[in-house]
Amino acid sequence: MSKIEMTTPLVEMDGDEMTRILWKMIKDDLLSPFINLKTEYYDLGLEHRNATDDQVTFDAAEATKKYGVAVKCATITPNAARMDEYDLKEMWKSPNGTIRAILDGTVFRTPITVKGIEPTVRTWKKPITIARHAYGDVYKGVEIKVPGAGKAELVYTAEDGAQIKELIHDFDGAGILQGMHNTESSIRSFAKSCFTYALDTKQDLWFATKDTISKKYDHTFKDIFQEIYDAEYKEKFEAAGIEYFYTLIDDAVARVMKSEGGYIWACKNYDGDVMSDMVSSAFGSLAMMTSVLVSPDGYYEYEAAHGTVQRHYYKHLKGEETSTNSVATIFAWTGALRKRGELDSNEELVKFADRLEKATIDTIEEGIMTKDLALITTLKNVKVANSGDFIKAIAEKLSYLIA
């Protein structure tokens, strides 16, 4: 069988630790045997980011603007412990935060559902898609460790020199400070992406902040969403038979836990980060969730919505067997390949992405799965596969579907 040809490269962003190991397995066993894979490669592993003073992250984002579609492996966002472990020049910022700031847009994360993996929230019957704002807030925050007594102020200086000042706190001893920001243009892009995606998928859209406490910051999000909805989307939503619903974030959490699912839940950046992990875990596993950054300029970046699986990586380095779930990383590749195929009118590439997803789901539903799923499945007599054998089982199923 001849391999599928690609006309335009994908931007490929390699990552860290166990997900980097899985990345190579996926390419070797599931992609390269069937596709003449065409990518522009960027190594976003922490060591290479450190060696390039993080320039490689910016280069990868700009390449995504050039080619339109990217696929990204999970990466380390360093903390103090990682500074020592990797002998870093500085505590580099989150690669995801950097890329999202450059591309703008919204991250949509949806659980991957399979038979035999039942949601832990018994009322959930349909996937819940988390729409995470992809810019600003704590991910672009500026922080100070306050050494001692003193006055902290929030100061804005206009171009003409005029100033607005707000007292943050009179410190009588050591403490901490954090400054966050967002922009109206980014919030508007976020809102439009959410409303458009809801119409495309014919799902209700929920949005939640804490505007009763944050009467300027969060309230601005609420106001912009309502303004855009009323002016541009209200009639379209009514015609489509779907609803836009705003509530406070704590009320939204309570409602979500009693809902049936089947809607998009739009969240600010940090809320979306936390809630996507909650939703994915409650639907089965952190490794069972798709994630795509959709830019208003038409750029797409697909990734797994989980971390680098550090604990398994350390076991791997010791030569110990691991059973790491690679489904979300596989679906990052299928999402990117499908979008690349759609943009290039490459039907064979689109069909391949569909078949690889089906092969992955079929493998699990036939009882071959990684340990995290085996611990929660309702299927009987399942086989727990190690990291490599699970991917090879999918490859065998894929070969059968393609033959």
Side-chain angles (χ1 to χ4, degrees), residues 98-113:
T98 298
I99 293 165
R100 290 167 190 161
I102 293 171
L103 298 183
D104 199 1
T106 298
V107 177
F108 294 93
R109 291 178 170 173
T110 307
I112 302 162
T113 56

Side-chain angles (χ1 to χ4, degrees), residues 84 110 203:
D84 295 334
T110 307
Q203 296 182 88

Side-chain angles (χ1 to χ4, degrees), residues 107-111 113 125-131 191-207 225 229 233-234 236-245 259-266 279 283 289-290 292:
V107 177
F108 294 93
R109 291 178 170 173
T110 307
T113 56
K125 296 179 174 61
K126 304 173 185 175
I128 298 168
T129 297
I130 299 292
K192 290 183 177 181
S193 293
C194 291
F195 289 129
T196 300
Y197 196 77
L199 285 171
D200 288 344
T201 58
K202 292 183 171 55
Q203 296 182 88
D204 290 344
L205 174 66
W206 295 17
F207 179 50
F225 262 73
Y229 175 72
Y233 292 94
K234 185 175 182 180
K236 295 176 183 177
F237 267 54
E238 290 172 351
I242 59 176
E243 177 187 14
Y244 168 60
F245 171 70
S259 74
E260 291 187 354
Y263 49 82
I264 301 164
W265 181 10
V279 168
F283 268 97
M289 197 170 209
T290 65
V292 55

Side-chain angles (χ1 to χ4, degrees), residues 151-156 164-169 171 177:
K151 182 170 67 173
E153 293 181 313
L154 191 64
V155 181
Y156 163 76
I164 300 173
K165 287 187 180 181
E166 292 284 349
L167 176 67
I168 299 172
H169 189 65
F171 286 89
L177 284 169

Side-chain angles (χ1 to χ4, degrees), residues 71-299:
V71 58
K72 180 182 173 296
C73 184
T75 47
I76 294 169
T77 299
N79 55 16
R82 298 294 202 169
M83 287 283 292
D84 295 334
E85 181 181 356
Y86 284 87
D87 191 24
L88 301 181
K89 300 174 186 176
E90 62 180 81
M91 200 178 296
W92 305 109
K93 291 185 180 292
S94 161
N96 289 343
T98 298
I99 293 165
R100 290 167 190 161
I102 293 171
L103 298 183
D104 199 1
T106 298
V107 177
F108 294 93
R109 291 178 170 173
T110 307
I112 302 162
T113 56
V114 298
K115 294 175 184 176
I117 308 296
E118 309 300 332
T120 55
V121 180
R122 66 177 183 273
T123 58
W124 289 357
K125 296 179 174 61
K126 304 173 185 175
I128 298 168
T129 297
I130 299 292
R132 177 184 172 189
H133 188 206
Y135 178 79
D137 301 345
V138 68
Y139 298 86
K140 296 290 285 184
V142 177
E143 300 175 328
I144 295 174
K145 290 193 73 172
V146 176
K151 182 170 67 173
E153 293 181 313
L154 191 64
V155 181
Y156 163 76
T157 305
E159 289 184 345
D160 64 2
Q163 288 190 334
I164 300 173
K165 287 187 180 181
E166 292 284 349
L167 176 67
I168 299 172
H169 189 65
D170 271 319
F171 286 89
D172 58 9
I176 49 176
L177 284 169
Q178 183 181 77
M180 301 192 310
H181 80 279
N182 225 292
T183 67
E184 283 205 7
S185 61
S186 182
I187 299 168
R188 289 182 182 277
S189 293
F190 173 41
K192 290 183 177 181
S193 293
C194 291
F195 289 129
T196 300
Y197 196 77
L199 285 171
D200 288 344
T201 58
K202 292 183 171 55
Q203 296 182 88
D204 290 344
L205 174 66
W206 295 17
F207 179 50
T209 69
K210 194 66 172 177
D211 64 279
T212 52
I213 301 300
S214 178
K215 297 182 185 296
K216 294 179 182 178
Y217 199 103
D218 279 22
H219 213 298
T220 298
F221 276 83
K222 176 186 176 183
D223 292 344
I224 288 175
F225 262 73
Q226 193 64 51
E227 172 201 328
I228 291 174
Y229 175 72
D230 290 340
E232 301 180 37
Y233 292 94
K234 185 175 182 180
E235 292 182 359
K236 295 176 183 177
F237 267 54
E238 290 172 351
I242 59 176
E243 177 187 14
Y244 168 60
F245 171 70
Y246 175 82
T247 189
L248 295 171
I249 186 65
D250 44 345
D251 180 57
V253 171
R255 288 173 179 264
V256 164
M257 299 307 288
K258 295 181 179 180
S259 74
E260 291 187 354
Y263 49 82
I264 301 164
W265 181 10
C267 297
K268 289 171 55 193
N269 208 349
Y270 180 79
D271 294 339
D273 192 3
V274 174
M275 298 307 171
S276 65
D277 280 1
M278 181 194 75
V279 168
S280 63
S281 180
F283 268 97
S285 170
L286 291 174
M288 297 286 286
M289 197 170 209
T290 65
S291 180
V292 55
L293 173 70
V294 181
S295 162
D297 294 318
Y299 312 132

